[in-house]
Amino acid sequence: MNETLDQLKETLARARQEVAKVIIGQSDVVDKALIAIFTGHHALIEGVPGVAKTLVVRTLAQVLGCDFARIQFTPDLMPADITGTNVFNMQRNEFTLIKGPIFASFLLADEINRAPAKTQSALLQAMQERLVTIDRDTHALPPNFTVFATQNPIEYEGTYPLPEAQKDRFMLKITMNCPARDEELTLAKRTMGADSPEALLAGGVVRPVIAAETLATLRGQLIRIVIRDELVVYLVDIVRATRKHESVLVGAGPRATQALLLAGRALAALSGRDFVTPDDIKAMAVPVLEHRLILRPEFEIEGVTVTEVIQRILEQVAVPR
């Protein structure tokens, strides 16, 4: 087996171990975040306040040797607050670029749906092309540029729903639930002492497992993960089935097909394998497709959820032998 592919698997395993020093539980969330990072895509994180959404991203940035920036999205946030702006330098008699937080490798867009469409659109070019245009000049973003956008699933007052084109640019939707009872008990006990998760991260307990420059090299090794032709047909049929299902108004587009393929490969690498199985495709179907589907109003009224529709589709599409 290729040595670099082995290095990829080892790095993913070590990254999980380092993150676990700070983050209690949430292993599924960490795995999906790693899948987004190692496939060079972005993730939408949904969860109630206080479930460590910001802490997960900050910890991953430290573990993978990347810089981190956070933007609190508010109704008065302007595009220039994200991208930066040119300021006139009196001494040099020229304009100087003051870079905004978007120039970080890992960007946390906190409560992204609180800002209006004009501000949200400032992320569109960056997420798709890893470029930012400021006053007609185009600037390249770091090669590891990854957006983690958070949303509160309950509080919709004063929010601006993300347009479909922007949601489609997020490879995954990661749902963060409250911790289990034993995990919350561990958190409570740690908080009483000096080893609360925030204190551990600030104290340098988490060690980087790779340098930022190595991340791009390892990302390229995912192409060596084997996926059989019949599995490619299987995942294409799953995505196409979302467009024909009776309860779906708008199904997933071709970008979802690409995302499901890449996510399946990354999950195989996380599992220590150099080949993709049907279970990898099934496991990633909901996080890849959930935010891309729009149900017909009559089915929504009946209480049908997008997750239920995807599960039904997975039951209907024949699994290759």
Side-chain angles (χ1 to χ4, degrees):
M1 187 181 291
N2 186 283
E3 285 182 17
T4 321
L5 186 54
D6 283 341
Q7 188 189 352
L8 170 63
K9 293 176 187 175
E10 184 190 342
T11 301
L12 287 166
R14 285 173 58 209
R16 281 163 139 180
Q17 290 170 359
E18 288 296 319
V19 172
K21 291 179 182 177
V22 172
I23 305 298
I24 302 164
Q26 304 287 10
S27 57
D28 183 58
V29 172
V30 172
D31 284 356
K32 285 172 183 168
L34 284 168
I35 285 169
I37 293 164
F38 274 82
T39 53
H41 285 75
H42 315 283
L44 186 63
I45 306 176
E46 194 168 272
V48 296
V51 290
K53 297 187 290 289
T54 304
L55 192 64
V56 165
V57 181
R58 279 179 55 210
T59 307
L60 281 166
Q62 190 140 324
V63 166
L64 299 173
C66 294
D67 57 328
F68 166 84
R70 177 179 176 276
I71 305 171
Q72 181 64 54
F73 277 64
T74 55
D76 60 347
L77 190 75
M78 297 298 290
D81 298 329
I82 298 172
T83 59
T85 187
N86 285 308
V87 175
F88 190 71
N89 189 320
M90 299 285 284
Q91 292 173 322
R92 295 183 183 176
N93 200 32
E94 63 182 16
F95 282 94
T96 305
L97 174 64
I98 306 298
K99 291 183 177 181
I102 203 167
F103 283 89
S105 292
F106 286 9
L107 178 69
L108 184 80
D110 209 2
E111 295 193 284
I112 189 172
N113 54 342
R114 292 217 169 275
K118 183 180 179 181
T119 304
Q120 289 177 14
S121 67
L123 285 174
L124 283 177
Q125 182 190 21
M127 290 174 69
Q128 185 63 26
E129 302 166 28
R130 284 181 167 73
L131 298 170
V132 173
T133 302
I134 303 168
D135 294 340
R136 299 181 185 177
D137 290 329
T138 301
H139 307 271
L141 292 172
N144 298 321
F145 177 69
T146 306
V147 174
F148 292 93
T150 72
Q151 282 191 155
N152 182 338
I154 298 164
E155 198 177 356
Y156 290 114
E157 192 174 331
T159 62
Y160 303 81
L162 293 181
E164 299 313 310
Q166 188 159 342
K167 282 198 282 189
D168 196 39
R169 281 171 168 77
F170 289 102
M171 179 194 207
L172 304 173
K173 179 183 174 187
I174 304 173
T175 302
M176 282 190 78
N177 298 311
C178 289
R181 183 177 180 274
D182 57 334
E183 292 168 351
E184 198 159 359
L185 197 58
T186 303
L187 174 63
K189 288 177 179 175
R190 277 201 196 175
T191 305
M192 289 191 294
D195 56 349
S196 69
E198 291 82 0
L200 288 173
L201 183 62
V205 170
V206 174
R207 298 286 178 206
V209 296
I210 52 169
E213 303 77 43
T214 316
L215 184 54
T217 308
L218 290 178
R219 190 182 285 138
Q221 295 308 305
L222 281 177
I223 199 167
R224 298 180 184 273
I225 304 286
V226 178
I227 179 163
R228 293 179 292 134
D229 288 346
E230 52 266 40
L231 271 183
V232 177
V233 173
Y234 174 58
L235 72 86
V236 167
D237 286 344
I238 289 171
V239 176
R240 291 182 69 82
T242 66
R243 301 168 200 163
K244 301 171 186 172
H245 199 274
E246 59 173 2
S247 59
V248 177
L249 181 64
V250 179
R255 198 180 269 135
T257 305
Q258 296 173 302
L260 191 51
L261 176 67
L262 294 170
R265 269 182 163 164
L267 183 59
L270 267 172
S271 306
R273 284 182 277 105
D274 59 353
F275 59 91
V276 179
T277 68
D279 286 341
D280 294 328
I281 306 297
K282 284 182 178 179
M284 297 313 301
V286 172
V288 167
L289 298 172
E290 185 184 6
H291 59 294
R292 291 181 160 96
L293 304 188
I294 300 175
L295 298 184
R296 294 186 182 278
E298 58 269 30
F299 286 91
E300 277 192 306
I301 292 168
E302 289 175 15
V304 176
T305 66
V306 174
T307 304
E308 286 171 354
V309 171
I310 296 168
Q311 295 296 353
R312 286 176 200 166
I313 289 169
L314 291 174
E315 289 166 11
Q316 290 164 5
V317 179
V319 181
R321 296 290 172 195

